[in-house]
């Protein structure tokens, strides 16, 4: 197990983090950021990007994009259904403890709000595959710091493989820092200066003699895949695509659920410079011998769209045993 002091300080730690900051590592952070955006219902921009990828013409992209909605959040529904281990508070015992020790131990758990925190952690473990939880003993009591993979880097000891990180570096604005680095010796608050230079703002030894975090996972990782970023990615992308189909359906229903009026005017009559064929205004055509009006009914059944949505939803839910 390596430590920050053992490798020569935060300057050397920065070099290790920079060396690991490959395109794949950046893609991993982006992928988990997308999952969290969908989970928070803040993924309308992701749906519009998917629309831009799927449709060639700017008119189609703009028209369908107006109907984007985040209400068909299949990812959130599935995660809520399967992430249940901590929905009911755990019952904990401390063997051999006196009544006084037991009372103090339980007070410690209450001060850290452990039950509510672990309910959220259990959910994040299913959503993000791996979650690090770090207890901090502060003046106000115990606080559990939850670190998610979209804002975290792990530094491994080359001699021990890539199953257990020796150092965690995660984004944080606490104590005026940009990053926090934690190893088996201390917490370090780091400011990132222009040019990427790291400045150590504070060091707090924790005295544990071991890594001060617990790792929560929903499944064991594949060899060489500490973050398991591929697992569950289809749920995020499927949810975005379902929303894209729903937006297309809403657009079609809007323009195909209104009867279109077609008016034939005189051969010399002026026509509007721009006309829409989407039923919002009458369509005007020049006629050679007659003036008249007819009504077209282009009603489009949403069945095919709903079948596509149902098929994609079924494929996603079956992958989680639902």
């Amino acid at each position: 197990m390596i430590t920050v002091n053992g490798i020569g300080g935060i300057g050397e730690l920065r070099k290790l983090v920079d060396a690991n900051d490959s395109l794949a590592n950046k893609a991993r952070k982006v992928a988990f950021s997308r999952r969290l955006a969908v989970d928070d219902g803040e993924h309308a921009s992701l749906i519009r990007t998917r629309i831009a990828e799927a449709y060639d013409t700017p008119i189609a992209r703009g028209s369908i994009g107006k109907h984007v909605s985040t209400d068909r959040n299949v990812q959130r529904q599935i995660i809520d259904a399967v992430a249940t281990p901590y929905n009911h508070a755990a019952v904990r015992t401390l063997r051999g403890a006196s009544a006084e020790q037991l009372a103090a131990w339980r007070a410690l758990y209450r001060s850290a709000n452990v039950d509510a925190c672990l309910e959220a952690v259990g959910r994040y473990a299913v959503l993000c595959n791996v979650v690090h939880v770090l207890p901090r003993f502060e003046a106000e009591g115990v606080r559990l710091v939850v670190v998610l993979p979209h804002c975290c880097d792990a530094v491994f000891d080359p001699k021990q493989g890539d199953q257990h990180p020796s150092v965690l570096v995660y984004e944080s604005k606490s104590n005026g820092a940009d990053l926090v680095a934690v190893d088996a010796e201390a917490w370090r608050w780091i400011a990132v200066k222009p040019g990427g230079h790291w400045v150590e703002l504070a060091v707090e030894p924790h005295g544990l003699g071991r890594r001060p975090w617990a790792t929560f996972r929903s499944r064991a990782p594949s060899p060489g895949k500490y973050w398991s970023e591929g697992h569950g990615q289809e749920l995020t992308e499927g949810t975005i695509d379902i929303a894209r189909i729903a937006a297309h359906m809403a657009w079609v229903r809007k323009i195909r659920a209104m009867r279109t009026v077609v008016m034939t005017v005189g051969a010399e009559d002026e026509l509007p410079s721009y006309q829409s064929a989407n039923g919002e205004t009458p369509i005007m055509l020049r006629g050679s011998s007659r003036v008249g009006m007819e009504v077209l009914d282009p009603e489009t059944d949403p069945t095919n769209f709903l079948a596509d949505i149902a098929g994609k939803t079924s494929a996603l839910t079956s992958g989680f045993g639902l």
Side-chain angles (χ1 to χ4, degrees):
M1 179 173 57
I2 62 175
T3 63
V4 176
N5 284 332
I7 61 176
I10 64 167
E12 296 302 314
L13 177 63
R14 181 184 65 82
K15 293 178 183 178
L16 291 176
V17 171
D18 288 347
N20 290 332
D21 200 23
S22 61
L23 290 177
N25 195 47
K26 289 184 173 69
R28 181 258 299 176
K29 292 182 178 180
V30 170
F32 283 118
S33 294
R34 288 166 67 89
R35 292 190 201 190
L36 292 165
V38 173
D39 191 58
D40 290 336
E42 298 177 351
H43 57 296
S45 62
L46 300 179
I47 302 169
R48 291 190 176 92
T49 299
R50 181 62 53 84
I51 289 170
E53 295 168 349
Y55 303 94
D56 293 331
T57 65
I59 292 177
R61 294 170 185 169
S63 298
I64 297 172
K66 294 178 182 178
H67 296 274
V68 162
S69 172
T70 59
D71 57 354
R72 294 179 186 268
N73 200 325
V74 178
Q75 174 185 279
R76 183 192 292 161
Q77 294 168 357
I78 291 177
I79 296 300
D80 286 345
V82 301
T84 59
Y86 287 96
N87 283 7
H88 300 283
V91 177
R92 303 175 179 89
T93 60
L94 191 61
R95 295 189 184 93
S98 66
E100 184 179 10
Q101 290 171 328
L102 191 59
W105 179 64
R106 288 174 174 165
L108 191 68
Y109 268 79
R110 286 195 298 271
S111 72
N113 199 19
V114 169
D115 291 337
C117 182
L118 286 186
E119 184 175 352
V121 167
R123 192 175 183 282
Y124 281 131
V126 177
L127 178 64
C128 296
N129 305 329
V130 55
V131 182
H132 301 98
V133 181
L134 302 87
R136 276 193 51 76
F137 292 83
E138 301 175 337
E140 298 80 9
V142 182
R143 179 169 64 94
L144 297 183
V145 179
V146 179
V147 179
L148 302 179
H150 73 300
C151 62
C152 180
D153 287 288
V155 178
F156 299 89
D157 185 342
K159 297 179 181 179
Q160 296 184 349
D162 56 4
Q163 290 188 342
H164 303 290
S166 292
V167 186
L168 289 183
V169 181
Y170 63 91
E171 297 174 13
S172 173
K173 294 301 181 183
S174 62
N175 296 334
D178 298 299
L179 301 170
V180 174
V182 190
D183 61 8
E185 296 178 342
W187 298 72
R188 287 176 166 80
W189 287 264
I190 300 167
V192 180
K193 298 300 183 179
H197 180 61
W198 287 13
V199 176
E200 194 170 72
L201 302 178
V203 180
E204 182 185 292
H206 51 67
L208 293 177
R210 53 158 290 174
R211 292 168 287 229
W213 62 79
T215 304
F216 288 77
R217 290 184 177 275
S218 59
R219 57 181 286 171
S222 302
K225 293 286 187 180
Y226 180 78
W227 301 102
S228 300
E229 58 267 27
H231 176 63
Q233 192 61 24
E234 74 284 356
L235 185 54
T236 302
E237 300 307 318
T239 297
I240 293 171
D241 209 43
I242 286 171
R244 189 267 308 169
I245 297 170
H248 192 168
M249 177 179 67
W251 174 62
V252 169
R253 292 292 295 163
K254 172 180 178 291
I255 66 174
R256 293 291 183 259
M258 293 185 293
R259 292 188 172 96
T260 300
V261 177
V262 179
M263 302 181 66
T264 304
V265 299
E268 303 299 325
D269 292 336
E270 292 186 4
L271 298 180
S273 59
Y274 171 80
Q275 300 190 70
S276 170
N278 293 336
E280 296 177 344
T281 56
I283 298 174
M284 301 183 69
L285 305 174
R286 286 194 180 97
S288 58
S289 60
R290 69 184 183 90
V291 175
M293 183 180 73
E294 60 180 317
V295 178
L296 305 179
D297 187 359
E299 175 73 14
T300 299
D301 194 321
T303 301
N304 290 339
F305 290 104
L306 294 174
D308 286 345
I309 291 172
K312 282 185 172 290
T313 302
S314 177
L316 294 175
T317 55
S318 63
F320 284 79
L322 298 175

